[in-house]
């Protein structure tokens, strides 16, 4: 038995905010969810799956026009021609009360109702599927508590749209505990609602979020797709394999540590390197890789990056237009850097300045003695690059002790 589990298709979800970005590949991003659904059906036919499981939010909400429903129906008819059954539920986005239009689904598609949980038994497939749709967007009841018991001798699947016990990034719809699901008697729980892939339980009973089929914005990063479940005919054990389906668009957040950057040019070199490592290697012909670049960390370049953000953004976008980044579109550039951490607290700087000036006055013209004095203290290991350069090239010995100490104190006080 092979089952294909997907959720949160959000067909024709509006790509809000793209109009703010001149040159955005908005048409390709808008149609990406449809392309991902085509890929899902292609995969189901290629793998000759036993059934397809859709765990809610097939639609993003009320259709803007009937073409959304027509597209979904056409894809289900492709499965019907191959005699592949589809079991689906509605979630919070496509709950019954949000649908202002509907189309008759092909005969191979069973959509569970919202009044109560029900079971569909397919003895010919060795499969029992249990599920319940949302009747309204805001469902706070524990739906899983009323799901029917498992059917003996069959592989039992529970279709459920839920946040489990809660996720700070998702509304707590249809709450239930993982323990409750594991102990319900089913073999596999096909969950939806959380847009990030995760196997919540995989020891015997599988409780799985496949993630959404297609990332829709900068918070839905990385590869997106579905889960292929292969059930051993003898033992009944299930093996899982995640399949990527986002062939048209993928969202990335590339965080670049600017610790090694002293200026704008250095920062741009680090961005180019990060894009090459994190995006270019995984780029695919024909796909848009929508990237949000975030400059982070303590950096000498912080003043210029924070003060000239538009210039930095323009430079990053120019980098992304080079030939080896053909798939990359930079959605946004954020500057989250900070000034370098003080390498000594202000009160210690003041004390050192006073002590060094006194020593410089006493030592006269012996610059070597000043250098040895400073290098022998705990200060040496905490000096910034400007001072270590001075030590390394021997400049301390070229002037008087007073001049050497004055140069040091200027640098010390400048770091407060």
């Amino acid at each position: 038995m092979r089952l294909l589990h997907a959720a949160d298709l959000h067909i024709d979800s509006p790509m809000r905010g793209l109009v703010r970005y001149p040159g955005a590949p908005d048409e390709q991003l808008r149609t990406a969810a449809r392309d991902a659904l085509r890929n899902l059906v292609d995969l189901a036919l290629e793998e000759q799956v036993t059934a397809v499981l859709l765990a809610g939010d097939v639609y993003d909400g009320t259709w803007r026009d009937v073409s959304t429903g027509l597209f979904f129906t056409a894809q289900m008819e492709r499965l019907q021609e191959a005699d592949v059954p589809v079991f689906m539920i509605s979630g919070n986005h496509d709950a019954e009360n949000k649908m202002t239009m509907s189309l008759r689904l092909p005969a191979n598609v069973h959509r569970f109702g919202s009044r109560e949980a029900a079971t569909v038994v397919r003895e010919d497939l060795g499969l029992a599927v249990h599920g319940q749709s949302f009747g309204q967007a805001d469902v706070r009841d524990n739906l899983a508590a009323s799901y029917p018991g498992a059917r003996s001798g069959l592989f039992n699947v529970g279709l459920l749209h839920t946040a489990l016990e809660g996720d700070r990034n998702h509304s707590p719809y249809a709450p239930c505990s993982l323990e409750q699901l594991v102990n319900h008697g089913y073999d596999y729980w096909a969950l939806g609602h959380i847009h990030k892939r995760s196997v919540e339980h995989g020891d015997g009973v599988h409780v799985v979020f496949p993630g959404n089929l297609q990332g829709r914005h900068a918070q839905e990063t990385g590869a997106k797709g579905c889960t292929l479940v292969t059930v051993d005919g003898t033992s009944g054990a299930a093996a899982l394999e995640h399949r990527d389906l986002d062939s048209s668009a993928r969202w990335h957040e590339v965080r670049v540590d600017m610790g090694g950057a002293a200026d704008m040019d250095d920062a741009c070199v680090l961005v180019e390197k990060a894009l090459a490592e994190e995006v270019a290697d995984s780029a695919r012909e024909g796909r848009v890789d929508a990237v949000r670049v975030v400059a982070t960390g303590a950096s000498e370049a912080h003043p210029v990056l924070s003060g000239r953000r538009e210039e930095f953004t323009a430079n990053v976008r120019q980098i992304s237009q080079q030939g080896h980044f053909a798939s990359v579109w930079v959605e946004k550039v954020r500057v989250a850097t900070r000034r370098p951490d003080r390498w000594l607290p202000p009160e210690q700087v003041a004390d050192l300045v006073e002590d060094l000036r006194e020593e410089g006055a006493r030592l006269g013209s012996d610059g070597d003695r000043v250098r040895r004095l400073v290098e022998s203290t705990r200060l040496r290991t905490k000096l910034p690059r400007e001072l270590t350069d001075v030590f390394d090239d021997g400049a301390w010995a070229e002037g008087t002790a007073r001049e050497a100490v004055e140069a040091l104190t200027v640098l010390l006080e400048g770091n407060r």
Side-chain angles (χ1 to χ4, degrees), residues 154-265:
L154 302 175
F155 189 82
N156 285 263
V157 173
L159 267 178
L160 181 64
H161 201 77
T162 180
L164 287 181
E165 293 176 297
D167 182 294
R168 64 184 180 87
N169 296 316
H170 293 79
S171 299
Y173 297 136
C176 59
S177 72
L178 179 61
E179 182 182 10
Q180 174 193 350
L181 299 186
V182 171
N183 293 328
H184 196 82
Y186 295 172
D187 301 289
Y188 186 92
W189 281 93
L191 305 185
H193 185 53
I194 305 298
H195 288 190
K196 185 176 181 179
R197 289 179 179 175
S198 66
V199 178
E200 299 295 318
H201 192 274
D203 184 12
V205 178
H206 286 79
V207 181
V208 178
F209 286 105
N212 52 337
L213 207 62
Q214 170 64 56
R216 302 172 301 150
H217 49 70
Q219 281 71 52
E220 296 181 347
T221 58
K224 298 292 183 178
C226 65
T227 299
L228 179 63
V229 185
T230 302
V231 182
D232 185 273
T234 303
S235 66
L240 310 184
E241 182 181 354
H242 291 292
R243 295 292 188 91
D244 299 338
L245 299 174
D246 53 348
S247 62
S248 294
R250 181 173 295 176
W251 294 82
H252 308 259
E253 181 180 82
V254 177
R255 302 183 70 82
V256 186
D257 185 350
M258 291 294 170
D263 52 29
M264 179 77 74
D265 288 342

Side-chain angles (χ1 to χ4, degrees), residues 4 36-46 75-76 78-79 245:
L4 208 54
L37 178 54
R38 287 191 192 95
N39 294 339
L40 176 73
V41 174
D42 289 344
L43 179 62
L45 298 176
E46 178 185 336
Q75 296 307 309
M76 297 303 99
R78 292 176 60 200
L79 295 173
L245 299 174

Side-chain angles (χ1 to χ4, degrees), residues 261-337:
D263 52 29
M264 179 77 74
D265 288 342
D266 288 350
C268 290
V269 168
L270 291 174
V271 168
E272 183 171 5
K273 181 181 179 182
L275 288 175
E277 292 176 350
E278 298 186 36
V279 181
D281 286 348
S282 67
R284 171 175 172 162
E285 185 177 353
R287 186 178 74 200
V288 171
D289 285 288
V291 178
R292 176 171 292 185
V293 174
V294 184
T296 66
S299 174
E300 297 289 345
H302 170 75
V304 68
L305 296 183
S306 59
R308 293 155 54 189
R309 292 171 188 259
E310 290 186 5
E311 180 183 348
F312 182 46
T313 297
N315 287 339
V316 171
R317 290 205 162 117
Q318 185 175 14
I319 290 169
S320 73
Q321 292 167 8
Q322 298 176 17
H324 53 294
F325 295 131
S327 72
V328 173
W329 168 65
V330 174
E331 176 257 357
K332 184 179 288 187
V333 177
R334 285 187 55 228
V335 175
T337 54

